[in-house]
Amino acid sequence: MGNYSHLFSTFQLGSLRLPNRSVLSPMTRTSAEPSGLANERMARYYARFAKGGFGLIITEGLYPDAISSQSYKNQPGLANEAQAESWIPVIRAVQGAGGKIVAQLMHAGALVQHDGFTPIAPSAVKPLGTMLEDHGGSGEFAVPRAMSIEEIRSVIESFAQAAFRAKKVGFDGVEVHAANGYLLDQFITDYTNLRTDEYGGSTERRVRIIVEVLRAIRAAVGPDFMVGVRISQGKVNDFHHKWAGGEMDARIIFEHLATAAPDYIHKAFAPAFAEGGPTLAKLAKQYSGLPVIANGKLGQPDKAESLLENDHADLVAIGTSALVNPDWVNKVRVGRALLPFDHHFLLPIATLKEEEVGV
Ligand SMILES: Cc1cc2nc3c(=O)[nH]c(=O)nc-3n(C[C@H](O)[C@H](O)[C@H](O)COP(=O)(O)O)c2cc1C
């Protein structure tokens, strides 16, 4: 057993004093009510991670508006007061167990897997790949409709309003999901953003909407509420995508994000462009000067500890390993063996399992 002095050191992240460096990674579990309300099973599920030692918990992606942002059936939302208030028992359960909880705000863009509306996106480009079976989809995605400038403005406003609702009901912060192929990442990505206006073209213009979302949220929630942003190159429907401009794109993206002064950047921990080269987490730290949460296959504590020790990131987000070890932090602290994660755990779809919510 290692000593893990970095993993178990405290950290000030924005307005939050965290007891250790482990964060629960956001994971969509499509277990809300059909109307997008959080429920009691979800309160029990999220509380387990706080009881298990996670100082910070990031929720699954919540859709910010009722018009076009929902990706999955039974995904929870923050699109109205009732949805926001349905999180109060979850927030109380987590905070009552000593944890902090941040709401992840996620707009689907083109990656919509339920009937109900024509998806919107930067451009009318059909997404690569097929719908996610883990989240109940099958077959190809629909071709989205290109957003008008008015729609872009109203989506920015809907992020700000959802963040305001999150603050009002007692969340400890919000994280803007600009990763993994969803709407905001579709703007960054060259092949899904063919716009010729101020939101398309150069990398600076493709990242602009995210900067505007962060600024609108800050204006709505004030200076003391934590606001983070998640960025990635890979996507749920295109795992191996890399930014065409390489490290120069990384520099432009992270420097621009920093101008909106988010409290942190949440990034995948993998070599950014070449095997053995700097990680994107490290580049995010270098070019933004902001605290960085690294994520991706960090369930082995030795790996997480060495990444913190080598200053690649300030915090580590644990995803799948935490699903089978909700007490990951407490186990690592006392040197207890961790259960291995197996994808079968999420079959047939990634909804909450009985053992995750108790009886
Ligand atoms: C079932 C499942 C759902 C996920 N949903 C989200 C999500 O809503 N938002 C997000 O940013 N990432 C999501 N992810 C990605 C995870 O946060 C994490 O980045 C990924 O699992 C890799 O980390 P790991 O190796 O520790 O599991 C999801 C992953 C899984 C397995």
Side-chain angles (χ1 to χ4, degrees):
M1 174 195 152
N3 135 22
Y4 305 129
S5 59
H6 294 84
L7 266 173
F8 289 100
S9 59
T10 58
F11 191 73
Q12 185 74 35
L13 185 66
S15 51
L16 304 182
R17 185 84 192 148
L18 301 178
N20 60 57
R21 304 298 183 100
S22 303
V23 176
L24 179 71
S25 215
M27 280 175 284
T28 290
R29 303 304 304 272
T30 56
S31 295
E33 303 305 308
S35 56
L37 300 180
N39 55 36
E40 211 252 322
R41 285 161 56 84
M42 292 162 67
R44 276 184 271 151
Y45 163 75
Y46 279 111
R48 287 169 87 221
F49 300 104
K51 289 179 190 151
F54 283 95
L56 183 64
I57 286 158
I58 306 176
T59 69
E60 57 205 287
L62 314 182
Y63 57 89
D65 71 52
I67 305 165
S68 57
S69 60
Q70 183 179 350
S71 264
Y72 305 112
K73 271 190 207 148
N74 295 98
Q75 185 188 354
L78 264 185
N80 56 46
E81 302 299 317
Q83 288 178 349
E85 282 166 16
S86 73
W87 280 91
I88 292 174
V90 186
I91 295 166
R92 288 212 180 115
V94 168
Q95 293 173 342
K100 310 273 187 214
I101 180 164
V102 159
Q104 190 185 55
L105 306 179
M106 158 174 162
H107 192 303
L111 300 190
V112 172
Q113 294 200 178
H114 63 97
D115 305 327
F117 52 79
T118 303
I120 58 170
S123 305
V125 177
K126 182 173 164 157
L128 295 179
T130 50
M131 293 191 190
L132 279 62
E133 292 181 5
D134 277 358
H135 296 321
S138 64
E140 302 196 348
F141 288 99
V143 179
R145 185 169 57 70
M147 294 165 79
S148 66
I149 287 282
E150 289 68 35
E151 281 174 317
I152 290 178
R153 293 205 181 110
S154 97
V155 162
I156 293 170
E157 182 53 28
S158 76
F159 271 100
Q161 284 178 14
F164 182 74
R165 282 183 207 109
K167 182 180 177 189
K168 212 163 95 183
V169 296
F171 275 107
D172 295 296
V174 291
E175 174 174 289
V176 173
H177 193 354
N180 298 0
Y182 297 98
L183 179 75
L184 298 179
D185 186 37
Q186 289 156 28
F187 272 88
I188 298 181
T189 303
D190 48 12
Y191 69 81
T192 48
N193 182 349
L194 310 178
R195 301 181 75 93
T196 52
D197 60 11
E198 64 265 40
Y199 293 99
S202 63
T203 308
E204 287 86 342
R205 293 210 301 237
R206 285 185 277 117
V207 75
R208 177 183 173 141
I209 186 172
I210 303 163
V211 174
E212 293 185 357
V213 165
L214 290 169
R215 291 211 170 112
I217 289 178
R218 183 56 75 203
V221 298
D224 300 328
F225 191 62
M226 194 170 73
V227 180
V229 58
R230 192 175 214 204
I231 295 283
S232 69
Q233 296 188 95
K235 310 174 192 318
V236 291
N237 60 330
D238 182 10
F239 289 133
H240 303 296
H241 177 74
K242 299 279 181 206
W243 295 331
E247 197 171 327
M248 183 48 78
D249 270 355
R251 178 175 187 159
I252 295 166
I253 290 167
F254 295 128
E255 284 183 354
H256 274 69
L257 292 177
T259 66
D263 291 302
Y264 69 83
I265 294 184
H266 186 173
K267 259 310 308 125
F269 173 68
F273 302 105
E275 244 359 275
T279 61
L280 212 49
K282 184 102 181 176
L283 294 176
K285 244 173 118 57
Q286 182 181 333
Y287 292 126
S288 73
L290 295 166
V292 167
I293 305 178
N295 111 278
K297 300 196 170 67
L298 297 176
Q300 290 165 8
D302 288 346
K303 198 169 164 188
E305 174 72 9
S306 101
L307 180 150
L308 295 172
E309 188 175 356
N310 295 316
D311 207 27
H312 281 264
D314 303 287
L315 296 147
V316 288
I318 312 297
T320 43
S321 184
L323 292 181
V324 285
N325 303 282
D327 51 353
W328 190 93
V329 177
N330 289 345
K331 276 184 172 165
V332 172
R333 193 195 308 271
V334 299
R336 270 182 63 205
L338 294 164
L339 295 173
F341 173 78
D342 183 310
H343 189 76
H344 282 102
F345 182 82
L346 293 174
L347 298 179
I349 59 169
T351 49
L352 292 178
K353 307 287 175 278
E354 225 27 74
E355 63 264 36
E356 297 181 272
V357 291
V359 282

